[in-house]
């Protein structure tokens, strides 16, 4: 249904089978994420009438769906913009530049977002994002990535990780 998180209640932690409950929940989440029945398409979100201009987010999500992209890279953005992109549920990780630990914690709340501590300059950020995505094994070396500028210009560049 497009939820960004799931949670087990306190009863699970103090019940007779907490490990099994977490294991089953993990299996359910994995299965649900692989299903295309819950994917939110760009057109559906736009028809829902977002209050913020989602143009750069829509471009990134749409291109990731259609061009076999391994990741979306966003050097600098406000949480509101990343929330817009996360609503499209791209099937690839979204690496976002974070100037400090507070911003990184904020980005961790969004679905599919990987915070990257790096300056917003393209080359420096792309290098740091590449290292982080490869370290976490979220992409393979040589995967294609989109660099989506959130500065209002909506510029999109393609890179190889």
């Amino acid at each position: 249904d497009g939820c960004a998180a799931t949670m087990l209640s306190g009863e699970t932690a103090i019940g007779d089978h907490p490990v099994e409950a977490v294991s089953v929940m993990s299996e359910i989440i994995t299965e649900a994420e692989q299903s295309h029945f819950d994917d939110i398409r760009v057109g559906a979100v736009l028809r829902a009438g977002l209050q913020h201009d989602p143009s750069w987010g829509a471009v990134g999500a749409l291109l990731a769906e259609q061009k076999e992209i391994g990741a979306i890279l966003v050097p600098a953005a406000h949480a509101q913009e990343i929330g817009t992109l996360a609503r499209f549920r791209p099937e690839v990780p979204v690496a976002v530049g974070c100037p400090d630990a507070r911003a990184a914690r904020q980005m961790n709340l969004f679905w599919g977002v990987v915070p990257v501590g790096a300056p917003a300059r393209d080359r420096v950020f792309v290098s740091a994002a590449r290292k982080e995505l490869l370290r976490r094994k979220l992409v393979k070396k040589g995967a294609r990535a989109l660099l989506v500028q959130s500065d209002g210009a909506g510029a999109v560049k393609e890179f190889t990780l």
Side-chain angles (χ1 to χ4, degrees):
D1 68 356
C3 71
T6 57
M7 185 173 104
L8 294 170
S9 66
E11 290 85 10
T12 305
I14 60 173
D16 292 337
H17 307 285
V19 174
E20 291 84 355
V22 171
S23 178
V24 169
M25 182 71 147
S26 176
E27 290 174 20
I28 291 169
I29 292 168
T30 301
E31 182 75 20
E33 285 182 345
Q34 292 173 357
S35 167
H36 293 289
F37 291 112
D38 70 334
D39 291 352
I40 298 173
R41 294 289 169 234
V42 173
V45 174
L46 293 176
R47 283 190 299 276
L50 292 178
Q51 294 178 359
H52 311 291
D53 177 14
S55 58
W56 69 268
V59 166
L62 189 60
L63 291 174
E65 285 177 3
Q66 296 183 359
K67 290 186 70 180
E68 298 179 11
I69 298 298
I72 298 173
L73 313 179
V74 184
H78 298 289
Q80 198 170 35
E81 295 169 326
I82 295 303
T84 298
L85 179 57
R87 286 188 67 185
F88 294 124
R89 299 292 192 262
E91 297 288 332
V92 297
V94 178
V96 178
C98 298
D100 54 41
R102 181 176 185 265
R105 285 191 305 272
Q106 204 174 24
M107 292 301 146
N108 272 323
L109 298 174
F110 294 110
W111 188 90
V113 172
V114 177
V116 176
R121 295 184 307 276
D122 286 2
R123 287 187 179 176
V124 175
F125 170 72
V126 169
S127 176
R130 177 184 183 272
K131 286 178 187 173
E132 184 63 17
L133 292 169
L134 289 171
R135 183 186 72 77
R136 292 188 186 196
K137 299 181 180 169
L138 296 173
V139 297
K140 294 180 180 177
K141 191 172 184 178
R144 292 167 39 200
L146 291 179
L147 179 71
V148 181
Q149 300 291 350
S150 64
D151 59 6
V156 177
K157 299 177 189 173
E158 192 172 318
F159 285 88
T160 300
L161 297 174

